[in-house]
Amino acid sequence: MAKNPGTELRTKAPAAKPAARRVALAFPTRLGHLHSIVRGIMDYAQQHGNWIFTTSGEAHDLSVRALNRWRGNGVITLLDTEAEARAARRLKVPVVTFVGTLRKPGIPRVMRDQPAIGRMAAEHLLARGFRNFGYYGVKEVGYSIDRGEAFANRLKEHYLSFSHYLSPNMFDRRHPWDDEMDALCRWIRKLPMPIGIFTANDARGRMVADACKMVGRHVPEEVGIIGVDNSQLDCEFGSPKLTTIACEWHLVGFETAKLLDSLMCGDPPPEKDLLISPSGVIARESTDVMIADHPAVAKAIAFTRAHLSERFGVKSLVAAAGVSRRYLETSFARSLGRTPSQYLMGARVETAKALLEKRGLTFSRIARECGFSDLRQFRRVFTRLEKETPSQYRARRRSINGKEESPAPAAF
């Protein structure tokens, strides 16, 4: 008699679960984007392991230094100091981290690609037409140093220099907040205008915006500001809203858990940090400007901003500028380092990216509102400039936005 396939499937013994592992989460609640990072860790554990998590109960502030006698299998921790790094290295179980406060913590790490962040910030400010630049960072903090160096190196490729100002970590209670704001105001007063300022994180970006108000500098016309982290508190709850460089925090948590799992299975640690690329610039009011040092270029830019939803090309920019096409192209090259056509297509794509964040807008409508001749041209130009299709961009941004919940400023 033939066996009933359905009965056979129902009576098949379930696969054995992997042995349970105890994993300590040793980081504080002040950590920015905590919910997304922890969700990434939890998602990996649910998909690939049988983990029992150790925290500090209601305090939610477990330190790696408290784990010297803990009997578990692995630790995910935040390391702010050399003392914490030494404590982590002394533990008898695998330890991983995901922060860049220390340049060389001596333990395996999943970390954002800090140099890529610095380069991305430089590219964004260059694209806005700035030719004076500043960097506001944090003293003796690894991620701040790496981002600032990459920012400076990218500008040097264009033979441009910048002014930098580094201040102590704001978590240092020995450094009064008002003293820092006074010093920041003094620095901004001395800067040449207009200037694009890159800040080590969004919290610093909000401080720059506030300091500009205190000294009478207009954002973004005189000072363009771009930060890092996409912190809702710093970017959205204030005026102006801040441009930022975003990261897929869920992926950071997921890859950190994956790294720990491999170490707990006996795999050798990687020789270098495992890097997570930034997911892109989220442009807001603090860089909503196009700086031009040539009257003809300024006229062409003004025409573009006023008529972007209309279908027009370089011929219309030439007419608006009141000069010959060759003269306009030469002026654009000297002022912005690009052709009028490149500027126009870039402006249309930037507007399209903002519209793709909104729900309910079809691709055809976005193409029309951005002045593309048709949906085909929209897709072709967008894909060429962004290295992904409009649908891929929308799906990726919605995935990121759906997983970002924490309004707290990031500490790394």
Side-chain angles (χ1 to χ4, degrees):
M1 181 176 178
K3 293 183 180 179
N4 185 326
T7 303
E8 184 174 343
L9 288 174
R10 285 195 298 270
T11 58
K12 187 176 180 179
K17 288 186 177 180
R21 289 194 175 107
R22 296 182 64 197
V23 173
L25 303 182
F27 41 79
T29 54
R30 66 170 170 80
L31 180 64
H33 301 280
L34 176 67
H35 291 87
S36 294
I37 295 169
V38 171
R39 184 182 291 113
I41 295 171
M42 298 296 181
D43 284 350
Y44 180 87
Q46 291 174 0
Q47 295 173 25
H48 301 281
N50 181 15
W51 293 7
I52 300 172
F53 289 99
T54 297
T55 64
S56 59
E58 294 175 349
H60 295 294
D61 198 7
L62 180 61
S63 170
V64 69
R65 286 180 286 187
L67 297 173
N68 58 323
R69 296 184 180 180
W70 177 70
R71 290 180 294 179
N73 302 101
V75 177
I76 299 175
T77 187
L78 180 152
L79 303 175
D80 270 341
T81 67
E82 290 291 347
E84 291 173 336
R86 287 194 298 270
R89 292 193 295 267
R90 286 196 296 265
L91 294 180
K92 304 300 183 184
V93 297
V95 184
V96 299
T97 188
F98 52 86
V99 296
T101 304
L102 302 177
R103 300 190 89 177
K104 295 182 179 180
I107 67 170
R109 174 166 60 179
V110 173
M111 190 174 68
R112 290 182 293 170
D113 190 337
Q114 312 296 0
I117 290 172
R119 291 191 296 269
M120 188 174 286
E123 290 293 346
H124 180 75
L125 293 175
L126 284 166
R128 290 298 187 267
F130 288 102
R131 289 300 177 267
N132 299 309
F133 301 91
Y135 177 62
Y136 178 35
V138 191
K139 285 182 179 178
E140 301 177 352
V141 172
Y143 71 81
S144 177
I145 296 171
D146 292 339
R147 293 172 188 176
E149 288 181 351
F151 181 69
N153 290 336
R154 190 69 185 91
L155 297 176
K156 289 177 182 177
E157 294 176 11
H158 292 269
Y159 303 99
L160 298 168
S161 59
F162 78 113
S163 171
H164 69 276
Y165 172 58
L166 305 178
S167 67
N169 194 320
M170 290 294 99
F171 291 119
D172 184 355
R173 296 181 180 178
R174 297 169 297 178
H175 188 74
W177 186 271
D178 287 345
D179 289 354
E180 174 56 27
M181 288 301 296
D182 290 343
L184 184 57
C185 287
R186 289 194 296 270
W187 178 61
I188 291 175
R189 285 193 184 99
K190 298 176 182 178
L191 297 175
M193 302 289 151
I195 189 168
I197 297 179
F198 171 41
T199 63
N201 52 48
D202 291 331
R204 300 277 168 156
R206 179 53 61 194
M207 291 173 67
V208 169
D210 292 343
C212 285
K213 290 181 181 179
M214 295 169 67
V215 302
R217 302 296 191 191
H218 299 288
V219 179
E221 293 82 5
E222 293 180 293
V223 182
I225 306 169
I226 179 171
V228 187
D229 291 332
N230 196 26
S231 162
Q232 185 180 12
L233 177 63
D234 295 308
C235 293
E236 298 283 355
F237 299 156
S239 179
K241 292 179 172 58
L242 295 182
T243 294
T244 188
I245 296 175
C247 177
E248 297 187 44
W249 300 102
H250 178 272
L251 181 60
V252 171
F254 191 92
E255 291 298 322
T256 300
K258 181 178 179 181
L259 174 59
L260 179 63
D261 194 21
S262 72
L263 298 177
M264 291 190 299
C265 289
D267 294 338
E271 295 182 359
K272 298 180 179 179
D273 292 335
L274 303 181
L275 301 180
I276 304 295
S277 299
S279 55
V281 173
I282 300 177
R284 297 188 177 97
E285 295 171 351
S286 66
T287 58
D288 185 16
V289 68
M290 181 57 68
I291 305 298
D293 56 5
H294 195 287
V297 176
K299 290 178 181 178
I301 290 172
F303 179 87
T304 300
R305 294 172 71 89
H307 301 274
L308 190 64
S309 62
E310 303 171 14
R311 296 180 184 178
F312 63 89
V314 175
K315 187 180 293 187
S316 296
L317 298 185
V318 171
V323 296
S324 69
R325 180 166 184 145
R326 182 176 180 80
Y327 186 85
L328 186 64
E329 289 177 344
T330 302
S331 300
F332 259 84
R334 291 175 178 174
S335 183
L336 301 182
R338 64 187 63 189
T339 67
S341 177
Q342 288 172 335
Y343 162 72
L344 178 58
M345 291 299 103
R348 295 197 191 283
V349 167
E350 284 299 312
T351 302
K353 286 164 66 177
L355 294 177
L356 285 167
E357 300 271 355
K358 299 181 179 180
R359 295 188 179 275
L361 296 181
T362 65
F363 292 132
S364 296
R365 179 177 173 183
I366 292 173
R368 289 195 304 271
E369 293 193 10
C370 295
F372 289 102
S373 59
D374 53 35
L375 184 57
R376 192 174 184 179
Q377 185 200 30
F378 169 45
R379 286 174 175 160
R380 184 178 69 252
V381 173
F382 190 98
T383 303
R384 186 179 76 243
L385 296 185
E386 295 299 316
K387 312 304 181 190
E388 59 184 343
T389 66
S391 59
Q392 289 171 335
Y393 178 87
R394 170 175 273 177
R396 181 171 61 83
R397 291 302 311 154
R398 286 183 176 175
S399 174
I400 295 170
N401 292 336
K403 291 167 181 172
E404 293 302 329
E405 296 180 355
S406 172
F412 52 98

